Coordinates of all heavy atoms in Angstrom, one line a residue:
M341 N 104.6 100.7 42.2 CA 104.8 100.6 43.7 C 105.7 101.8 44.2 O 106.8 101.6 44.4 CB 105.4 99.3 44.0 CG 104.6 98.2 43.7 SD 103.6 98.0 45.1 CE 102.8 96.5 44.8
N342 N 105.0 102.8 44.3 CA 105.7 104.1 44.7 C 105.3 104.5 46.1 O 105.3 105.6 46.4 CB 105.3 105.2 43.7 CG 106.5 106.0 43.3 OD1 107.6 105.8 43.8 ND2 106.4 106.9 42.5
Q343 N 104.9 103.5 47.0 CA 104.5 104.0 48.3 C 105.6 103.9 49.3 O 106.5 103.1 49.2 CB 103.4 103.0 48.8 CG 102.2 103.0 48.0 CD 101.2 101.9 48.5 OE1 101.5 101.0 49.2 NE2 99.9 102.1 48.1
T344 N 105.6 104.9 50.3 CA 106.6 104.8 51.3 C 106.0 104.4 52.7 O 104.8 104.8 53.0 CB 107.2 106.3 51.5 OG1 106.1 107.1 51.8 CG2 108.0 106.6 50.3
A345 N 106.6 103.5 53.4 CA 106.0 103.0 54.6 C 106.3 104.1 55.7 O 107.3 104.6 55.9 CB 106.7 101.7 54.9
S346 N 105.2 104.3 56.5 CA 105.3 105.2 57.6 C 105.4 104.3 58.8 O 104.4 103.6 59.2 CB 104.1 106.2 57.6 OG 104.1 106.9 58.8
H347 N 106.3 104.5 59.6 CA 106.4 103.7 60.9 C 105.9 104.5 62.1 O 106.1 104.0 63.3 CB 107.9 103.2 61.1 CG 108.3 102.4 60.0 ND1 107.9 101.1 59.9 CD2 109.1 102.6 59.0 CE1 108.4 100.5 58.7 NE2 109.3 101.4 58.2
S348 N 105.4 105.6 61.9 CA 105.1 106.5 63.0 C 103.7 106.2 63.5 O 102.8 105.9 62.7 CB 105.1 108.0 62.6 OG 104.6 108.8 63.7
Q349 N 103.5 106.0 64.8 CA 102.2 105.7 65.3 C 101.4 107.0 65.7 O 100.3 107.0 66.2 CB 102.3 104.9 66.6 CG 102.9 103.5 66.4 CD 102.0 102.7 65.4 OE1 100.8 102.7 65.5 NE2 102.6 101.9 64.5
T350 N 102.1 108.1 65.5 CA 101.4 109.4 65.9 C 100.5 109.8 64.8 O 100.8 109.9 63.6 CB 102.5 110.5 66.0 OG1 103.5 110.1 66.9 CG2 101.9 111.9 66.5
P351 N 99.2 110.1 65.2 CA 98.2 110.5 64.2 C 98.6 112.0 63.8 O 99.2 112.8 64.5 CB 96.9 110.5 64.9 CG 97.3 110.7 66.3 CD 98.7 110.0 66.6
E352 N 98.2 112.3 62.6 CA 98.5 113.5 62.0 C 97.2 114.4 62.1 O 96.1 114.0 61.9 CB 98.9 113.5 60.6 CG 100.2 112.7 60.3 CD 100.6 112.8 58.8 OE1 100.1 113.6 58.1 OE2 101.5 112.0 58.5
F353 N 97.4 115.6 62.7 CA 96.3 116.6 62.9 C 96.6 117.7 61.9 O 97.6 118.3 61.9 CB 96.4 117.1 64.3 CG 96.2 115.9 65.4 CD1 97.1 115.6 66.1 CD2 94.9 115.5 65.6 CE1 97.0 114.6 67.1 CE2 94.7 114.5 66.6 CZ 95.8 114.1 67.3
G354 N 95.5 118.0 61.2 CA 95.6 119.0 60.1 C 95.4 120.4 60.7 O 95.9 121.4 60.1
H355 N 95.0 120.6 61.9 CA 94.8 121.9 62.5 C 95.9 122.4 63.3 O 95.8 123.5 63.8 CB 93.5 121.9 63.3 CG 93.5 121.0 64.5 ND1 93.3 119.6 64.4 CD2 93.7 121.3 65.8 CE1 93.4 119.1 65.6 NE2 93.7 120.1 66.5
I356 N 97.0 121.7 63.4 CA 98.1 122.1 64.3 C 98.9 123.1 63.4 O 99.3 122.8 62.3 CB 99.0 121.0 64.7 CG1 98.2 120.0 65.6 CG2 100.3 121.5 65.4 CD1 99.0 118.8 66.0
P357 N 99.2 124.3 64.0 CA 100.0 125.2 63.1 C 101.4 124.6 62.9 O 101.8 123.8 63.6 CB 100.1 126.5 64.0 CG 99.5 126.1 65.3 CD 98.8 124.9 65.2
T358 N 102.0 125.3 61.9 CA 103.4 124.7 61.5 C 104.3 124.9 62.6 O 105.5 124.3 62.6 CB 103.9 125.4 60.3 OG1 103.8 126.9 60.5 CG2 103.0 125.1 59.1
T359 N 104.0 125.8 63.6 CA 105.1 126.0 64.7 C 105.1 124.8 65.7 O 106.0 124.5 66.4 CB 104.7 127.2 65.6 OG1 103.4 127.1 66.0 CG2 104.8 128.5 64.8
G360 N 103.9 124.0 65.6 CA 103.9 122.7 66.5 C 103.4 123.1 67.9 O 103.4 122.2 68.8
I361 N 103.0 124.3 68.2 CA 102.6 124.8 69.4 C 101.1 124.8 69.5 O 100.4 125.4 68.6 CB 103.1 126.1 69.8 CG1 104.6 126.1 69.9 CG2 102.6 126.6 71.3 CD1 105.3 127.4 70.1
L362 N 100.5 124.0 70.4 CA 99.0 124.0 70.5 C 98.7 125.2 71.4 O 99.2 125.6 72.3 CB 98.6 122.7 71.2 CG 98.9 121.4 70.4 CD1 98.4 120.2 71.2 CD2 98.2 121.5 69.0
Y363 N 97.5 125.7 71.1 CA 96.9 126.9 71.8 C 95.9 126.4 72.8 O 95.0 125.6 72.5 CB 96.3 127.9 71.0 CG 95.8 129.1 71.6 CD1 96.6 130.0 72.2 CD2 94.4 129.2 71.8 CE1 96.1 131.2 72.8 CE2 93.9 130.3 72.5 CZ 94.7 131.3 73.0 OH 94.1 132.3 73.7
Q364 N 95.9 126.9 74.0 CA 94.9 126.6 75.1 C 94.3 127.9 75.6 O 95.1 128.8 75.9 CB 95.6 125.8 76.1 CG 94.6 125.3 77.2 CD 95.2 124.5 78.3 OE1 96.4 124.2 78.3 NE2 94.4 124.1 79.3
Q365 N 93.1 128.0 75.7 CA 92.6 129.1 76.3 C 93.0 129.3 77.7 O 93.1 128.3 78.5 CB 91.0 129.0 76.3 CG 90.3 129.1 75.0 CD 90.4 130.6 74.3 OE1 90.5 131.5 75.1 NE2 90.3 130.6 73.0
P366 N 93.3 130.6 78.1 CA 93.6 130.8 79.5 C 92.6 130.6 80.4 O 91.3 130.7 80.0 CB 94.2 132.3 79.5 CG 93.6 132.9 78.3 CD 93.3 131.8 77.3
P367 N 92.7 130.1 81.7 CA 91.6 129.8 82.6 C 90.8 131.0 82.9 O 91.4 132.2 83.0 CB 92.3 129.2 83.8 CG 93.7 129.7 83.7 CD 94.0 129.9 82.3
S368 N 89.6 131.0 83.2 CA 88.8 132.1 83.6 C 89.1 132.5 85.0 O 89.7 131.8 85.8 CB 87.3 131.8 83.4 OG 86.9 130.8 84.5
T369 N 88.7 133.7 85.4 CA 88.9 134.2 86.8 C 88.2 133.3 87.7 O 88.7 133.1 88.8 CB 88.5 135.6 87.0 OG1 87.1 135.7 86.5 CG2 89.3 136.5 86.0
K370 N 87.1 132.7 87.3 CA 86.3 131.8 88.3 C 87.1 130.6 88.5 O 87.2 130.0 89.6 CB 85.0 131.5 87.6 CG 84.1 130.7 88.6 CD 82.6 130.6 87.8 CE 81.7 129.9 88.7 NZ 80.4 129.7 88.0
Q371 N 87.7 130.0 87.5 CA 88.5 128.8 87.6 C 89.8 129.1 88.5 O 90.2 128.3 89.3 CB 89.0 128.2 86.3 CG 87.9 127.6 85.4 CD 88.4 127.3 84.1 OE1 89.2 128.0 83.5 NE2 87.8 126.3 83.5
I372 N 90.4 130.2 88.2 CA 91.6 130.6 89.0 C 91.2 130.9 90.5 O 91.9 130.4 91.4 CB 92.2 131.9 88.5 CG1 92.8 131.7 87.1 CG2 93.3 132.4 89.4 CD1 93.2 132.9 86.3
A373 N 90.0 131.5 90.8 CA 89.6 131.6 92.1 C 89.4 130.3 92.9 O 89.8 130.0 94.0 CB 88.4 132.6 92.3
K374 N 88.8 129.4 92.2 CA 88.5 128.0 92.7 C 89.8 127.4 93.0 O 90.0 126.7 94.0 CB 87.7 127.3 91.7 CG 87.2 125.9 92.2 CD 86.3 125.3 91.2 CE 85.9 123.9 91.8 NZ 85.0 123.2 90.8
A375 N 90.7 127.4 92.1 CA 92.0 126.7 92.3 C 92.8 127.4 93.5 O 93.3 126.7 94.3 CB 92.8 126.8 91.0
N376 N 92.7 128.8 93.6 CA 93.4 129.4 94.7 C 92.7 129.0 96.0 O 93.5 128.8 97.1 CB 93.3 130.9 94.6 CG 94.2 131.4 93.5 OD1 95.2 130.7 93.1 ND2 94.0 132.6 93.0
R377 N 91.4 128.9 96.1 CA 90.7 128.5 97.4 C 91.2 127.1 97.7 O 91.4 126.8 98.9 CB 89.2 128.6 97.2 CG 88.6 129.9 97.4 CD 87.1 129.9 97.5 NE 86.5 129.1 96.5 CZ 85.8 129.7 95.4 NH1 85.7 131.0 95.3 NH2 85.3 128.9 94.5
W378 N 91.2 126.2 96.8 CA 91.6 124.8 97.0 C 93.0 124.7 97.5 O 93.3 124.0 98.4 CB 91.4 124.0 95.8 CG 91.8 122.6 95.9 CD1 92.8 121.9 95.3 CD2 91.2 121.6 96.8 NE1 92.9 120.6 95.7 CE2 92.0 120.4 96.6 CE3 90.2 121.6 97.7 CZ2 91.6 119.2 97.3 CZ3 89.9 120.4 98.4 CH2 90.7 119.3 98.2
N379 N 93.9 125.5 96.9 CA 95.3 125.5 97.3 C 95.5 126.1 98.7 O 96.3 125.6 99.4 CB 96.2 126.4 96.3 CG 96.3 125.5 95.0 OD1 96.3 124.2 94.9 ND2 96.6 126.2 93.9
K380 N 94.8 127.1 99.0 CA 94.8 127.7 100.3 C 94.3 126.7 101.4 O 94.9 126.6 102.4 CB 94.1 128.9 100.5 CG 94.7 130.2 99.7 CD 93.8 131.4 99.9 CE 94.4 132.5 99.1 NZ 93.5 133.8 99.1
F381 N 93.2 126.0 101.1 CA 92.7 125.0 102.0 C 93.7 123.9 102.1 O 93.9 123.4 103.3 CB 91.3 124.4 101.4 CG 90.8 123.3 102.3 CD1 90.2 123.6 103.4 CD2 90.9 122.0 101.8 CE1 89.7 122.6 104.2 CE2 90.3 121.0 102.6 CZ 89.7 121.2 103.8
K382 N 94.2 123.4 101.1 CA 95.2 122.3 101.3 C 96.5 122.8 102.1 O 96.9 122.1 103.0 CB 95.8 121.8 99.9 CG 94.7 121.0 99.1 CD 95.3 120.3 97.9 CE 96.1 121.2 96.9 NZ 96.5 120.6 95.7
A383 N 96.9 124.0 101.9 CA 98.0 124.6 102.7 C 97.6 124.6 104.1 O 98.4 124.3 105.0 CB 98.5 125.9 102.1
F384 N 96.5 125.1 104.5 CA 96.0 125.2 105.8 C 95.9 123.9 106.5 O 96.3 123.8 107.6 CB 94.6 125.9 105.8 CG 94.0 125.9 107.2 CD1 94.3 126.8 108.1 CD2 92.9 124.9 107.5 CE1 93.7 126.8 109.4 CE2 92.4 124.9 108.8 CZ 92.8 125.9 109.7
M385 N 95.4 122.9 105.8 CA 95.3 121.6 106.4 C 96.6 121.0 106.6 O 96.8 120.3 107.7 CB 94.4 120.6 105.5 CG 92.9 121.0 105.4 SD 92.2 121.1 107.0 CE 92.3 119.3 107.5
R386 N 97.6 121.1 105.7 CA 98.9 120.7 105.9 C 99.6 121.3 107.1 O 100.1 120.6 107.9 CB 99.7 120.9 104.6 CG 101.0 120.4 104.6 CD 101.8 120.5 103.2 NE 101.6 121.8 102.6 CZ 101.0 122.1 101.5 NH1 100.4 121.0 100.8 NH2 100.9 123.3 101.0
D387 N 99.4 122.6 107.2 CA 99.9 123.3 108.4 C 99.3 122.8 109.7 O 99.9 122.6 110.8 CB 99.8 124.8 108.3 CG 100.6 125.3 107.1 OD1 101.6 124.7 106.7 OD2 100.4 126.5 106.7
A388 N 97.9 122.7 109.7 CA 97.2 122.2 110.9 C 97.6 120.9 111.4 O 97.9 120.6 112.6 CB 95.8 122.3 110.6
I389 N 97.8 120.0 110.4 CA 98.3 118.6 110.7 C 99.7 118.6 111.3 O 100.0 118.0 112.2 CB 98.2 117.7 109.4 CG1 96.7 117.5 109.1 CG2 99.0 116.4 109.7 CD1 96.5 116.7 107.8
A390 N 100.6 119.5 110.7 CA 101.9 119.6 111.2 C 101.9 120.1 112.7 O 102.6 119.6 113.5 CB 102.7 120.5 110.3
V391 N 101.1 121.0 112.9 CA 101.0 121.6 114.3 C 100.5 120.5 115.2 O 101.0 120.4 116.3 CB 100.0 122.8 114.4 CG1 99.6 123.2 115.8 CG2 100.6 124.0 113.6
V392 N 99.5 119.7 114.9 CA 99.0 118.7 115.7 C 100.1 117.7 115.9 O 100.3 117.2 117.2 CB 97.7 118.0 115.2 CG1 97.3 116.8 115.9 CG2 96.6 119.1 115.2
V393 N 100.8 117.3 114.9 CA 101.8 116.2 115.0 C 102.9 116.6 116.0 O 103.4 115.8 116.7 CB 102.3 115.8 113.7 CG1 103.5 114.9 113.8 CG2 101.2 115.0 112.9
F394 N 103.4 117.8 115.7 CA 104.6 118.2 116.5 C 104.2 118.8 118.0 O 105.0 118.8 118.8 CB 105.3 119.4 115.8 CG 106.1 118.8 114.5 CD1 105.6 119.3 113.3 CD2 107.1 118.0 114.7 CE1 106.4 118.7 112.2 CE2 107.7 117.4 113.6 CZ 107.4 117.8 112.3
S395 N 103.0 119.2 118.2 CA 102.6 119.7 119.5 C 102.1 118.5 120.4 O 102.1 118.7 121.6 CB 101.6 120.8 119.4 OG 100.4 120.4 118.9
S396 N 101.7 117.5 119.8 CA 101.1 116.4 120.7 C 102.1 115.8 121.6 O 101.7 115.7 122.8 CB 100.6 115.2 119.7 OG 99.5 115.6 118.9
P397 N 103.3 115.5 121.3 CA 104.3 115.1 122.4 C 104.5 116.1 123.5 O 104.6 115.7 124.7 CB 105.5 114.8 121.6 CG 105.1 114.7 120.2 CD 103.9 115.5 120.0
I398 N 104.5 117.3 123.1 CA 104.7 118.4 124.2 C 103.5 118.5 125.1 O 103.8 118.6 126.2 CB 104.9 119.7 123.4 CG1 106.3 119.7 122.5 CG2 105.0 120.9 124.4 CD1 106.4 120.8 121.6
V399 N 102.3 118.4 124.6 CA 101.2 118.4 125.4 C 101.0 117.2 126.2 O 100.6 117.2 127.4 CB 99.9 118.7 124.6 CG1 98.6 118.6 125.3 CG2 100.0 120.1 123.8
A400 N 101.4 116.0 125.7 CA 101.2 114.7 126.3 C 102.2 114.4 127.4 O 101.9 113.7 128.3 CB 101.1 113.6 125.3
T401 N 103.3 115.1 127.4 CA 104.4 114.9 128.3 C 104.0 115.1 129.7 O 104.2 114.2 130.6 CB 105.6 115.6 127.9 OG1 106.1 115.2 126.6 CG2 106.8 115.4 129.0
P402 N 103.4 116.2 130.1 CA 103.0 116.3 131.6 C 102.0 115.3 132.0 O 102.1 114.9 133.2 CB 102.4 117.7 131.6 CG 102.9 118.5 130.4 CD 103.1 117.4 129.3
F403 N 101.1 114.9 131.2 CA 100.1 113.8 131.6 C 100.9 112.5 131.9 O 100.6 111.8 132.7 CB 99.1 113.6 130.5 CG 98.3 114.9 130.4 CD1 98.2 115.7 129.3 CD2 97.2 115.2 131.4 CE1 97.5 116.8 129.1 CE2 96.5 116.3 131.2 CZ 96.6 117.1 130.1
A404 N 101.8 112.2 131.0 CA 102.6 111.0 131.2 C 103.4 110.9 132.4 O 103.5 110.0 133.2 CB 103.5 110.6 130.0
V405 N 104.0 112.1 132.7 CA 104.8 112.3 133.9 C 104.0 112.1 135.1 O 104.3 111.5 136.1 CB 105.6 113.5 133.8 CG1 106.2 113.9 135.2 CG2 106.7 113.6 132.7
R406 N 102.8 112.8 135.1 CA 101.9 112.7 136.3 C 101.4 111.3 136.5 O 101.4 110.8 137.6 CB 100.7 113.6 136.1 CG 99.8 113.5 137.2 CD 98.8 114.6 137.2 NE 97.9 114.4 138.4 CZ 97.5 115.3 139.1 NH1 97.9 116.5 138.9 NH2 96.7 115.0 140.1
S407 N 101.2 110.6 135.4 CA 100.6 109.2 135.5 C 101.8 108.3 136.1 O 101.5 107.5 137.0 CB 100.3 108.6 134.1 OG 99.9 107.3 134.2
C408 N 103.0 108.5 135.6 CA 104.1 107.7 136.3 C 104.3 108.1 137.7 O 104.7 107.2 138.5 CB 105.4 107.9 135.4 SG 105.3 107.2 133.7
S409 N 104.3 109.4 138.0 CA 104.4 109.8 139.4 C 103.4 109.2 140.3 O 103.7 108.8 141.4 CB 104.3 111.3 139.4 OG 104.4 111.8 140.8
D410 N 102.2 109.1 139.8 CA 101.1 108.5 140.6 C 101.4 107.0 140.9 O 101.1 106.5 142.0 CB 99.8 108.7 139.9 CG 99.2 110.1 139.9 OD1 99.8 111.0 140.7 OD2 98.3 110.4 139.2
D411 N 101.9 106.3 139.8 CA 102.2 104.9 140.0 C 103.4 104.7 141.0 O 103.3 103.9 141.8 CB 102.6 104.3 138.6 CG 101.5 104.1 137.7 OD1 100.3 104.1 138.3 OD2 101.7 103.8 136.6
V412 N 104.3 105.7 141.0 CA 105.4 105.5 141.9 C 104.9 105.7 143.3 O 105.3 105.0 144.3 CB 106.5 106.5 141.6 CG1 107.6 106.7 142.6 CG2 107.2 106.1 140.2
D413 N 104.1 106.7 143.5 CA 103.5 107.1 144.8 C 102.7 105.8 145.3 O 102.8 105.4 146.5 CB 102.6 108.2 144.8 CG 103.4 109.6 144.6 OD1 104.6 109.5 144.8 OD2 102.7 110.6 144.2
R414 N 101.9 105.3 144.5 CA 101.1 104.1 144.8 C 102.0 102.9 145.3 O 101.8 102.3 146.3 CB 100.2 103.7 143.7 CG 99.2 102.5 144.0 CD 98.4 102.1 142.8 NE 99.2 101.9 141.6 CZ 99.9 100.7 141.3 NH1 99.9 99.8 142.2 NH2 100.6 100.6 140.3
Q415 N 103.1 102.7 144.5 CA 103.9 101.5 144.8 C 104.7 101.8 146.0 O 105.0 100.9 146.8 CB 104.9 101.3 143.6 CG 104.2 100.8 142.3 CD 105.1 100.8 141.1 OE1 106.3 101.2 141.2 NE2 104.6 100.3 140.0
T416 N 105.1 103.0 146.3 CA 105.8 103.4 147.6 C 104.9 103.1 148.8 O 105.3 102.5 149.7 CB 106.3 104.8 147.5 OG1 107.0 105.0 146.3 CG2 107.1 105.2 148.8
L417 N 103.6 103.6 148.7 CA 102.7 103.3 149.7 C 102.6 101.8 150.0 O 102.5 101.3 151.2 CB 101.4 104.0 149.5 CG 101.4 105.5 149.6 CD1 100.0 106.0 149.2 CD2 101.8 105.9 151.1
Q418 N 102.4 101.0 148.9 CA 102.3 99.5 149.1 C 103.5 99.0 149.7 O 103.4 98.1 150.6 CB 102.1 98.9 147.6 CG 100.8 98.9 147.2 CD 100.6 98.1 145.9 OE1 101.5 98.1 145.1 NE2 99.4 97.6 145.7
A419 N 104.7 99.4 149.3 CA 105.9 98.9 149.9 C 106.0 99.2 151.4 O 106.3 98.4 152.2 CB 107.2 99.4 149.2
I420 N 105.6 100.5 151.7 CA 105.7 100.9 153.2 C 104.7 100.0 154.0 O 104.9 99.5 155.1 CB 105.4 102.3 153.3 CG1 106.5 103.1 152.8 CG2 105.1 102.7 154.7 CD1 106.3 104.6 152.7
K421 N 103.5 99.7 153.4 CA 102.5 99.0 154.0 C 102.9 97.6 154.3 O 102.7 96.9 155.4 CB 101.2 99.1 153.2 CG 99.9 98.4 153.8 CD 98.8 98.6 152.9 CE 97.6 98.1 153.4 NZ 96.4 98.3 152.5
I422 N 103.5 97.0 153.2 CA 104.0 95.6 153.3 C 105.2 95.5 154.3 O 105.2 94.6 155.2 CB 104.5 95.0 151.9 CG1 103.2 94.9 151.0 CG2 105.2 93.8 152.0 CD1 103.5 94.6 149.6
Q423 N 106.0 96.5 154.3 CA 107.2 96.4 155.4 C 106.6 96.6 156.8 O 107.1 96.0 157.7 CB 108.1 97.6 155.1 CG 108.9 97.4 153.9 CD 109.9 98.6 153.5 OE1 109.7 99.6 154.2 NE2 110.8 98.4 152.5
A424 N 105.6 97.4 156.9 CA 104.9 97.6 158.3 C 104.3 96.2 158.7 O 104.3 95.9 159.8 CB 103.9 98.7 158.3
E425 N 103.7 95.6 157.8 CA 103.0 94.3 158.1 C 104.1 93.2 158.5 O 103.8 92.5 159.4 CB 102.1 93.8 156.9 CG 100.9 94.5 156.7 CD 100.1 94.1 155.5 OE1 100.5 93.1 154.8 OE2 99.1 94.7 155.2
I426 N 105.1 93.2 157.7 CA 106.2 92.3 158.0 C 106.8 92.6 159.3 O 107.2 91.7 160.2 CB 107.3 92.3 156.9 CG1 106.7 91.7 155.6 CG2 108.5 91.5 157.3 CD1 107.6 91.8 154.4
S427 N 107.2 93.8 159.7 CA 107.8 94.1 160.9 C 106.9 93.9 162.1 O 107.3 93.5 163.2 CB 108.2 95.6 161.0 OG 107.1 96.5 160.9
N428 N 105.5 94.1 161.9 CA 104.5 93.8 163.0 C 104.4 92.4 163.2 O 104.2 91.9 164.3 CB 103.2 94.4 162.6 CG 103.1 95.9 162.8 OD1 104.0 96.5 163.4 ND2 102.2 96.6 162.2
S429 N 104.4 91.6 162.2 CA 104.3 90.1 162.3 C 105.6 89.6 163.0 O 105.5 88.6 163.7 CB 104.0 89.5 161.0 OG 105.1 89.5 160.1
G430 N 106.7 90.1 162.8 CA 108.0 89.7 163.3 C 108.0 90.0 164.9 O 108.6 89.3 165.6
E431 N 107.4 91.2 165.2 CA 107.4 91.5 166.6 C 106.5 90.8 167.5 O 106.7 90.5 168.7 CB 107.1 93.0 166.7 CG 108.1 94.0 166.3 CD 107.7 95.4 166.3 OE1 106.6 95.7 166.8 OE2 108.4 96.3 165.8
S432 N 105.4 90.3 166.9 CA 104.4 89.5 167.6 C 104.8 88.1 167.9 O 104.2 87.4 168.7 CB 103.1 89.5 166.9 OG 103.1 89.0 165.6
K433 N 105.8 87.5 167.2 CA 106.3 86.2 167.5 C 106.9 86.0 168.7 O 107.7 86.6 169.3 CB 107.0 85.7 166.3 CG 106.3 85.4 165.1 CD 107.0 84.8 164.0 CE 106.2 84.5 162.8 NZ 107.0 83.9 161.8

């Protein structure tokens, strides 16, 4: 009984050099170009979304102000109209 128990779950690979560094082929120029295009597209989309998000409140503000102004004008006209009706009905009595 001369066996030693191995508690390691790591499989042993015979083709790994003794340095322990695995070699990987460098990517081809086609792979690099594809990755660069994808990265440029992602950066463009990220910038475009940021522009839309930050410029939306600036662009929407004049529309909101105009809408509120129109409401105030409408309410003012209604108030004047109601006051005129009240004053006319008071004079006719």
